[in-house]
Amino acid sequence: MENISDKIQKIRSEYGDKALVPEDLNSDPIQQFESWLADAIEVEASEPNAMAISTVDSENNPRSRYVLFKNIVNDSLVFHTHYESSKAKEINNNPNVSGIFFWPEIYRQIRFEGVASIADSKVSDEYFKSRPRGGQLSAWASHQSEEIEGREILEERIKELEKEFEGKEIPRPEFWGGYLIDVHHWEFWQGRKNRTHDRFSYSKVDTEWKTVRLSP
């Protein structure tokens, strides 16, 4: 049987040849991000708002996971989570984070670096109200990142909550809500043939954004 190394060596994907030139770039990276995200949604990319978030734990070990980007508030990226989860504890200890969006359908990637902080309760409340009722119940039921003996414990807790909130509006639990990521560095990557990709970065200099082309 063919081993995994041989299989990997045979993987070859060309990234098209759509150019990314300075004239294409918005001077504001948030608007450039919104434009690319809109393109990803337009082509029905799989989970276009999925973003990988990297943090470090108390021993400086890097940790990454996917979360769902849900909004832009005051030019900051917003995602929601349990405030007692591993990633929340890591952010509270060290708010510096990095992240990636990747849309293979259009050969594009966005990388960013920034500082995370807890969102205003209004931001969290508004999003929680928009969640399906099942998602609201799961926020209450899950002690995110904690060890659990079996799935049946979670399912039983949800049943209890369904009875508790039957016929009622489900309030947002205080231990669950949003984070804002104030981004100070962006990188936009457009895949091109023969790995001659186009890359541009935006870095904050005082109150202005400096844009430079990077070698692929």
Side-chain angles (χ1 to χ4, degrees), residues 132-182:
R133 195 170 179 85
Q136 294 176 339
L137 290 171
S138 69
W140 275 98
S142 174
H143 298 285
Q144 197 174 93
S145 303
E146 291 188 10
E147 185 176 334
I148 186 172
E149 291 185 4
R151 182 179 176 83
E152 63 276 5
I153 295 174
L154 178 65
E155 293 174 344
E156 185 60 35
R157 177 56 179 153
I158 289 177
K159 289 179 181 178
E160 293 172 356
L161 289 164
E162 286 176 337
K163 293 180 181 179
E164 181 180 341
F165 292 117
E166 187 175 2
K168 303 175 184 177
E169 181 177 323
I170 302 175
R172 178 180 63 88
E174 292 185 0
F175 53 77
W176 189 99
Y179 277 95
L180 306 177
I181 303 176
D182 180 17

Short mmCIF file of all heavy atoms in Angstrom, two decimals, residues 132-182:
data_model
loop_
_atom_site.label_atom_id
_atom_site.label_comp_id
_atom_site.label_asym_id
_atom_site.label_seq_id
_atom_site.Cartn_x
_atom_site.Cartn_y
_atom_site.Cartn_z
N PRO A 132 -29.90 30.47 16.81
CA PRO A 132 -31.02 29.54 16.95
C PRO A 132 -31.16 29.11 18.41
O PRO A 132 -30.17 29.11 19.16
CB PRO A 132 -30.60 28.36 16.06
CG PRO A 132 -29.59 28.94 15.11
CD PRO A 132 -28.88 30.01 15.87
N ARG A 133 -32.36 28.75 18.79
CA ARG A 133 -32.61 28.39 20.19
C ARG A 133 -31.69 27.25 20.66
O ARG A 133 -31.20 27.25 21.79
CB ARG A 133 -34.07 28.00 20.36
CG ARG A 133 -34.54 27.96 21.82
CD ARG A 133 -36.05 27.80 21.90
NE ARG A 133 -36.51 27.74 23.29
CZ ARG A 133 -36.77 28.80 24.05
NH1 ARG A 133 -36.63 30.01 23.54
NH2 ARG A 133 -37.19 28.65 25.29
N GLY A 134 -31.43 26.29 19.76
CA GLY A 134 -30.53 25.20 20.12
C GLY A 134 -29.13 25.68 20.45
O GLY A 134 -28.48 25.18 21.37
N GLY A 135 -28.67 26.67 19.69
CA GLY A 135 -27.35 27.25 19.95
C GLY A 135 -27.31 28.01 21.26
O GLY A 135 -26.30 28.03 21.96
N GLN A 136 -28.43 28.66 21.60
CA GLN A 136 -28.52 29.36 22.88
C GLN A 136 -28.44 28.37 24.04
O GLN A 136 -27.75 28.60 25.03
CB GLN A 136 -29.81 30.17 22.94
CG GLN A 136 -29.87 31.32 21.95
CD GLN A 136 -31.21 32.04 21.99
OE1 GLN A 136 -32.22 31.50 22.44
NE2 GLN A 136 -31.22 33.27 21.50
N LEU A 137 -29.17 27.26 23.90
CA LEU A 137 -29.15 26.25 24.95
C LEU A 137 -27.77 25.62 25.11
O LEU A 137 -27.31 25.37 26.23
CB LEU A 137 -30.18 25.16 24.64
CG LEU A 137 -31.65 25.57 24.76
CD1 LEU A 137 -32.55 24.47 24.21
CD2 LEU A 137 -32.03 25.89 26.20
N SER A 138 -27.07 25.40 23.99
CA SER A 138 -25.75 24.78 24.07
C SER A 138 -24.76 25.69 24.78
O SER A 138 -23.84 25.22 25.47
CB SER A 138 -25.24 24.40 22.68
OG SER A 138 -24.93 25.55 21.91
N ALA A 139 -24.93 27.01 24.63
CA ALA A 139 -24.05 27.95 25.33
C ALA A 139 -24.21 27.80 26.84
O ALA A 139 -23.23 27.88 27.59
CB ALA A 139 -24.36 29.38 24.90
N TRP A 140 -25.44 27.60 27.28
CA TRP A 140 -25.70 27.38 28.70
C TRP A 140 -25.19 26.02 29.17
O TRP A 140 -24.68 25.88 30.29
CB TRP A 140 -27.21 27.47 28.97
CG TRP A 140 -27.72 28.85 29.19
CD1 TRP A 140 -28.32 29.67 28.27
CD2 TRP A 140 -27.70 29.60 30.41
NE1 TRP A 140 -28.67 30.88 28.84
CE2 TRP A 140 -28.30 30.85 30.15
CE3 TRP A 140 -27.23 29.33 31.69
CZ2 TRP A 140 -28.44 31.84 31.13
CZ3 TRP A 140 -27.38 30.30 32.68
CH2 TRP A 140 -27.97 31.54 32.40
N ALA A 141 -25.33 25.02 28.32
CA ALA A 141 -25.07 23.64 28.75
C ALA A 141 -23.60 23.26 28.80
O ALA A 141 -23.19 22.43 29.62
CB ALA A 141 -25.80 22.67 27.81
N SER A 142 -22.80 23.87 27.94
CA SER A 142 -21.41 23.43 27.80
C SER A 142 -20.45 24.19 28.73
O SER A 142 -20.44 25.41 28.76
CB SER A 142 -20.94 23.62 26.35
OG SER A 142 -19.57 23.34 26.23
N HIS A 143 -19.66 23.42 29.46
CA HIS A 143 -18.51 23.99 30.18
C HIS A 143 -17.31 23.82 29.26
O HIS A 143 -16.51 22.89 29.40
CB HIS A 143 -18.29 23.28 31.52
CG HIS A 143 -19.44 23.41 32.47
ND1 HIS A 143 -19.70 24.58 33.15
CD2 HIS A 143 -20.42 22.54 32.82
CE1 HIS A 143 -20.78 24.43 33.90
NE2 HIS A 143 -21.24 23.20 33.72
N GLN A 144 -17.20 24.72 28.30
CA GLN A 144 -16.28 24.55 27.17
C GLN A 144 -14.86 24.28 27.62
O GLN A 144 -14.33 24.95 28.50
CB GLN A 144 -16.33 25.79 26.28
CG GLN A 144 -15.75 25.58 24.91
CD GLN A 144 -15.96 26.80 24.02
OE1 GLN A 144 -15.12 27.66 23.94
NE2 GLN A 144 -17.11 26.84 23.35
N SER A 145 -14.24 23.29 26.99
CA SER A 145 -12.85 22.87 27.19
C SER A 145 -12.65 21.99 28.42
O SER A 145 -11.57 21.43 28.61
CB SER A 145 -11.88 24.07 27.27
OG SER A 145 -11.95 24.87 26.13
N GLU A 146 -13.66 21.87 29.28
CA GLU A 146 -13.52 21.02 30.46
C GLU A 146 -13.76 19.56 30.10
O GLU A 146 -14.53 19.24 29.19
CB GLU A 146 -14.49 21.45 31.56
CG GLU A 146 -14.17 22.80 32.18
CD GLU A 146 -15.03 23.09 33.39
OE1 GLU A 146 -15.74 22.18 33.86
OE2 GLU A 146 -14.99 24.24 33.87
N GLU A 147 -13.11 18.66 30.84
CA GLU A 147 -13.27 17.23 30.60
C GLU A 147 -14.71 16.80 30.91
O GLU A 147 -15.31 17.27 31.87
CB GLU A 147 -12.30 16.46 31.49
CG GLU A 147 -12.29 14.97 31.25
CD GLU A 147 -11.24 14.26 32.09
OE1 GLU A 147 -10.24 14.89 32.46
OE2 GLU A 147 -11.44 13.05 32.36
N ILE A 148 -15.23 15.92 30.08
CA ILE A 148 -16.59 15.42 30.27
C ILE A 148 -16.58 13.91 30.10
O ILE A 148 -15.88 13.38 29.23
CB ILE A 148 -17.57 16.10 29.27
CG1 ILE A 148 -19.01 15.71 29.55
CG2 ILE A 148 -17.18 15.80 27.84
CD1 ILE A 148 -20.02 16.50 28.73
N GLU A 149 -17.34 13.17 30.92
CA GLU A 149 -17.31 11.71 30.91
C GLU A 149 -18.00 11.13 29.68
O GLU A 149 -17.62 10.07 29.20
CB GLU A 149 -17.94 11.16 32.18
CG GLU A 149 -17.11 11.44 33.43
CD GLU A 149 -17.69 10.79 34.67
OE1 GLU A 149 -18.71 10.07 34.53
OE2 GLU A 149 -17.15 11.01 35.76
N GLY A 150 -19.04 11.80 29.20
CA GLY A 150 -19.74 11.28 28.04
C GLY A 150 -20.71 12.29 27.47
O GLY A 150 -21.13 13.24 28.14
N ARG A 151 -21.07 12.10 26.20
CA ARG A 151 -21.98 13.02 25.52
C ARG A 151 -23.34 13.07 26.20
O ARG A 151 -24.02 14.10 26.19
CB ARG A 151 -22.12 12.62 24.05
CG ARG A 151 -23.01 13.56 23.26
CD ARG A 151 -23.13 13.18 21.80
NE ARG A 151 -24.06 14.06 21.13
CZ ARG A 151 -23.76 15.28 20.66
NH1 ARG A 151 -22.53 15.74 20.78
NH2 ARG A 151 -24.68 16.02 20.06
N GLU A 152 -23.76 11.94 26.80
CA GLU A 152 -25.08 11.89 27.41
C GLU A 152 -25.24 12.93 28.52
O GLU A 152 -26.36 13.40 28.80
CB GLU A 152 -25.35 10.48 27.96
CG GLU A 152 -24.43 10.02 29.07
CD GLU A 152 -23.13 9.41 28.57
OE1 GLU A 152 -22.89 9.44 27.34
OE2 GLU A 152 -22.34 8.94 29.41
N ILE A 153 -24.15 13.31 29.16
CA ILE A 153 -24.22 14.33 30.21
C ILE A 153 -24.65 15.66 29.60
O ILE A 153 -25.50 16.37 30.15
CB ILE A 153 -22.85 14.48 30.92
CG1 ILE A 153 -22.52 13.18 31.65
CG2 ILE A 153 -22.85 15.66 31.87
CD1 ILE A 153 -21.13 13.16 32.26
N LEU A 154 -24.06 16.00 28.45
CA LEU A 154 -24.41 17.24 27.76
C LEU A 154 -25.86 17.18 27.28
O LEU A 154 -26.62 18.16 27.44
CB LEU A 154 -23.47 17.45 26.57
CG LEU A 154 -23.72 18.67 25.68
CD1 LEU A 154 -23.51 19.95 26.47
CD2 LEU A 154 -22.81 18.64 24.46
N GLU A 155 -26.25 16.06 26.70
CA GLU A 155 -27.61 15.94 26.19
C GLU A 155 -28.64 16.03 27.30
O GLU A 155 -29.71 16.63 27.12
CB GLU A 155 -27.74 14.62 25.42
CG GLU A 155 -26.90 14.59 24.14
CD GLU A 155 -26.92 13.25 23.45
OE1 GLU A 155 -27.31 12.26 24.11
OE2 GLU A 155 -26.54 13.19 22.26
N GLU A 156 -28.34 15.46 28.45
CA GLU A 156 -29.27 15.52 29.58
C GLU A 156 -29.39 16.96 30.09
O GLU A 156 -30.48 17.41 30.45
CB GLU A 156 -28.77 14.60 30.70
CG GLU A 156 -29.72 14.51 31.88
CD GLU A 156 -31.09 13.98 31.51
OE1 GLU A 156 -31.18 13.11 30.62
OE2 GLU A 156 -32.09 14.44 32.13
N ARG A 157 -28.26 17.66 30.12
CA ARG A 157 -28.28 19.05 30.57
C ARG A 157 -29.12 19.91 29.63
O ARG A 157 -29.88 20.78 30.08
CB ARG A 157 -26.85 19.60 30.65
CG ARG A 157 -26.73 21.06 31.05
CD ARG A 157 -27.40 21.34 32.37
NE ARG A 157 -27.27 22.75 32.77
CZ ARG A 157 -28.13 23.38 33.55
NH1 ARG A 157 -29.20 22.74 34.04
NH2 ARG A 157 -27.93 24.65 33.85
N ILE A 158 -29.04 19.66 28.34
CA ILE A 158 -29.85 20.42 27.38
C ILE A 158 -31.33 20.15 27.60
O ILE A 158 -32.17 21.06 27.53
CB ILE A 158 -29.42 20.10 25.93
CG1 ILE A 158 -28.03 20.71 25.66
CG2 ILE A 158 -30.44 20.63 24.93
CD1 ILE A 158 -27.46 20.40 24.29
N LYS A 159 -31.68 18.90 27.87
CA LYS A 159 -33.08 18.58 28.15
C LYS A 159 -33.58 19.33 29.38
O LYS A 159 -34.72 19.84 29.40
CB LYS A 159 -33.24 17.07 28.37
CG LYS A 159 -33.08 16.24 27.10
CD LYS A 159 -33.23 14.76 27.42
CE LYS A 159 -33.03 13.91 26.16
NZ LYS A 159 -33.13 12.46 26.46
N GLU A 160 -32.75 19.42 30.40
CA GLU A 160 -33.12 20.15 31.61
C GLU A 160 -33.34 21.63 31.31
O GLU A 160 -34.29 22.24 31.81
CB GLU A 160 -32.03 19.99 32.68
CG GLU A 160 -31.88 18.57 33.21
CD GLU A 160 -30.66 18.42 34.11
OE1 GLU A 160 -29.91 19.40 34.26
OE2 GLU A 160 -30.46 17.30 34.64
N LEU A 161 -32.47 22.16 30.49
CA LEU A 161 -32.58 23.58 30.14
C LEU A 161 -33.80 23.85 29.27
O LEU A 161 -34.42 24.91 29.39
CB LEU A 161 -31.30 24.03 29.42
CG LEU A 161 -30.05 24.14 30.30
CD1 LEU A 161 -28.79 24.21 29.44
CD2 LEU A 161 -30.13 25.37 31.21
N GLU A 162 -34.13 22.92 28.38
CA GLU A 162 -35.33 23.08 27.56
C GLU A 162 -36.57 23.22 28.42
O GLU A 162 -37.45 24.04 28.15
CB GLU A 162 -35.47 21.88 26.61
CG GLU A 162 -34.49 21.88 25.45
CD GLU A 162 -34.59 20.63 24.59
OE1 GLU A 162 -35.08 19.60 25.11
OE2 GLU A 162 -34.19 20.68 23.41
N LYS A 163 -36.63 22.43 29.49
CA LYS A 163 -37.76 22.52 30.42
C LYS A 163 -37.71 23.82 31.20
O LYS A 163 -38.74 24.48 31.42
CB LYS A 163 -37.74 21.32 31.38
CG LYS A 163 -38.01 19.98 30.72
CD LYS A 163 -37.95 18.86 31.74
CE LYS A 163 -38.20 17.51 31.07
NZ LYS A 163 -38.12 16.39 32.07
N GLU A 164 -36.53 24.20 31.64
CA GLU A 164 -36.37 25.42 32.44
C GLU A 164 -36.78 26.67 31.67
O GLU A 164 -37.41 27.58 32.22
CB GLU A 164 -34.91 25.55 32.88
CG GLU A 164 -34.63 26.77 33.74
CD GLU A 164 -33.17 26.85 34.16
OE1 GLU A 164 -32.46 25.81 34.12
OE2 GLU A 164 -32.73 27.96 34.55
N PHE A 165 -36.45 26.71 30.37
CA PHE A 165 -36.73 27.90 29.57
C PHE A 165 -37.94 27.74 28.65
O PHE A 165 -38.17 28.57 27.77
CB PHE A 165 -35.51 28.26 28.73
CG PHE A 165 -34.33 28.75 29.51
CD1 PHE A 165 -33.13 28.05 29.51
CD2 PHE A 165 -34.41 29.92 30.27
CE1 PHE A 165 -32.03 28.50 30.24
CE2 PHE A 165 -33.32 30.38 30.99
CZ PHE A 165 -32.13 29.67 30.98
N GLU A 166 -38.72 26.68 28.87
CA GLU A 166 -39.88 26.44 28.02
C GLU A 166 -40.83 27.64 28.04
O GLU A 166 -41.23 28.12 29.10
CB GLU A 166 -40.63 25.19 28.48
CG GLU A 166 -41.76 24.78 27.55
CD GLU A 166 -42.41 23.48 27.96
OE1 GLU A 166 -42.00 22.91 29.00
OE2 GLU A 166 -43.31 23.02 27.24
N GLY A 167 -41.15 28.15 26.83
CA GLY A 167 -42.05 29.30 26.73
C GLY A 167 -41.43 30.62 27.12
O GLY A 167 -42.13 31.63 27.22
N LYS A 168 -40.10 30.64 27.33
CA LYS A 168 -39.42 31.85 27.77
C LYS A 168 -38.31 32.23 26.79
O LYS A 168 -37.78 31.38 26.07
CB LYS A 168 -38.79 31.66 29.15
CG LYS A 168 -39.74 31.24 30.25
CD LYS A 168 -38.96 30.97 31.53
CE LYS A 168 -39.84 30.45 32.64
NZ LYS A 168 -39.06 30.12 33.86
N GLU A 169 -37.96 33.50 26.80
CA GLU A 169 -36.77 33.94 26.06
C GLU A 169 -35.54 33.50 26.82
O GLU A 169 -35.48 33.61 28.05
CB GLU A 169 -36.79 35.45 25.90
CG GLU A 169 -35.61 36.01 25.12
CD GLU A 169 -35.69 37.51 24.92
OE1 GLU A 169 -36.81 38.02 24.73
OE2 GLU A 169 -34.63 38.16 24.97
N ILE A 170 -34.56 32.98 26.12
CA ILE A 170 -33.34 32.50 26.77
C ILE A 170 -32.35 33.65 26.88
O ILE A 170 -31.92 34.21 25.87
CB ILE A 170 -32.70 31.34 25.98
CG1 ILE A 170 -33.71 30.19 25.83
CG2 ILE A 170 -31.43 30.86 26.66
CD1 ILE A 170 -33.22 29.05 24.96
N PRO A 171 -31.96 34.04 28.09
CA PRO A 171 -31.01 35.14 28.25
C PRO A 171 -29.58 34.68 27.97
O PRO A 171 -29.28 33.48 28.07
CB PRO A 171 -31.17 35.53 29.71
CG PRO A 171 -31.53 34.24 30.39
CD PRO A 171 -32.40 33.50 29.40
N ARG A 172 -28.74 35.60 27.61
CA ARG A 172 -27.32 35.26 27.43
C ARG A 172 -26.67 34.99 28.78
O ARG A 172 -26.77 35.82 29.68
CB ARG A 172 -26.58 36.40 26.71
CG ARG A 172 -25.07 36.12 26.54
CD ARG A 172 -24.36 37.28 25.83
NE ARG A 172 -24.41 38.51 26.60
CZ ARG A 172 -23.51 38.85 27.52
NH1 ARG A 172 -22.49 38.04 27.81
NH2 ARG A 172 -23.60 40.01 28.15
N PRO A 173 -25.99 33.85 28.92
CA PRO A 173 -25.28 33.61 30.18
C PRO A 173 -24.11 34.57 30.33
O PRO A 173 -23.45 34.92 29.33
CB PRO A 173 -24.80 32.16 30.05
CG PRO A 173 -24.81 31.87 28.59
CD PRO A 173 -25.88 32.71 27.98
N GLU A 174 -23.84 34.99 31.55
CA GLU A 174 -22.76 35.95 31.79
C GLU A 174 -21.39 35.38 31.42
O GLU A 174 -20.46 36.14 31.15
CB GLU A 174 -22.76 36.40 33.24
CG GLU A 174 -23.97 37.25 33.63
CD GLU A 174 -23.89 37.77 35.05
OE1 GLU A 174 -22.87 37.46 35.73
OE2 GLU A 174 -24.82 38.46 35.50
N PHE A 175 -21.28 34.05 31.41
CA PHE A 175 -19.99 33.42 31.13
C PHE A 175 -19.77 33.19 29.64
O PHE A 175 -18.82 32.51 29.25
CB PHE A 175 -19.86 32.09 31.88
CG PHE A 175 -21.00 31.12 31.65
CD1 PHE A 175 -21.08 30.39 30.47
CD2 PHE A 175 -21.98 30.96 32.60
CE1 PHE A 175 -22.12 29.50 30.25
CE2 PHE A 175 -23.03 30.07 32.40
CZ PHE A 175 -23.09 29.33 31.22
N TRP A 176 -20.61 33.75 28.79
CA TRP A 176 -20.50 33.54 27.35
C TRP A 176 -20.68 34.88 26.64
O TRP A 176 -21.56 35.66 26.97
CB TRP A 176 -21.57 32.56 26.89
CG TRP A 176 -21.46 32.09 25.47
CD1 TRP A 176 -20.92 30.91 25.04
CD2 TRP A 176 -21.92 32.76 24.29
NE1 TRP A 176 -21.01 30.82 23.67
CE2 TRP A 176 -21.63 31.95 23.18
CE3 TRP A 176 -22.55 33.98 24.08
CZ2 TRP A 176 -21.93 32.30 21.88
CZ3 TRP A 176 -22.85 34.35 22.77
CH2 TRP A 176 -22.55 33.51 21.69
N GLY A 177 -19.82 35.15 25.65
CA GLY A 177 -19.96 36.41 24.93
C GLY A 177 -18.87 36.63 23.90
O GLY A 177 -18.15 35.71 23.52
N GLY A 178 -18.75 37.87 23.48
CA GLY A 178 -17.86 38.19 22.37
C GLY A 178 -16.50 38.70 22.76
O GLY A 178 -16.28 39.20 23.87
N TYR A 179 -15.59 38.59 21.80
CA TYR A 179 -14.27 39.21 21.87
C TYR A 179 -14.09 40.09 20.63
O TYR A 179 -14.55 39.74 19.54
CB TYR A 179 -13.15 38.16 21.90
CG TYR A 179 -12.87 37.60 23.27
CD1 TYR A 179 -13.47 36.43 23.69
CD2 TYR A 179 -12.01 38.25 24.16
CE1 TYR A 179 -13.23 35.91 24.95
CE2 TYR A 179 -11.76 37.74 25.42
CZ TYR A 179 -12.37 36.57 25.81
OH TYR A 179 -12.13 36.07 27.06
N LEU A 180 -13.42 41.21 20.81
CA LEU A 180 -13.02 42.07 19.71
C LEU A 180 -11.53 41.88 19.45
O LEU A 180 -10.75 41.80 20.39
CB LEU A 180 -13.26 43.55 20.06
CG LEU A 180 -14.64 43.99 20.51
CD1 LEU A 180 -14.60 45.48 20.86
CD2 LEU A 180 -15.67 43.74 19.43
N ILE A 181 -11.15 41.81 18.19
CA ILE A 181 -9.73 41.77 17.84
C ILE A 181 -9.38 43.06 17.10
O ILE A 181 -9.86 43.30 15.98
CB ILE A 181 -9.39 40.56 16.95
CG1 ILE A 181 -9.82 39.26 17.63
CG2 ILE A 181 -7.89 40.54 16.65
CD1 ILE A 181 -9.61 38.02 16.77
N ASP A 182 -8.58 43.88 17.75
CA ASP A 182 -8.10 45.12 17.14
C ASP A 182 -6.84 44.78 16.35
O ASP A 182 -5.78 44.53 16.92
CB ASP A 182 -7.79 46.15 18.24
CG ASP A 182 -7.29 47.47 17.68
OD1 ASP A 182 -7.49 47.72 16.46
OD2 ASP A 182 -6.71 48.25 18.44
#
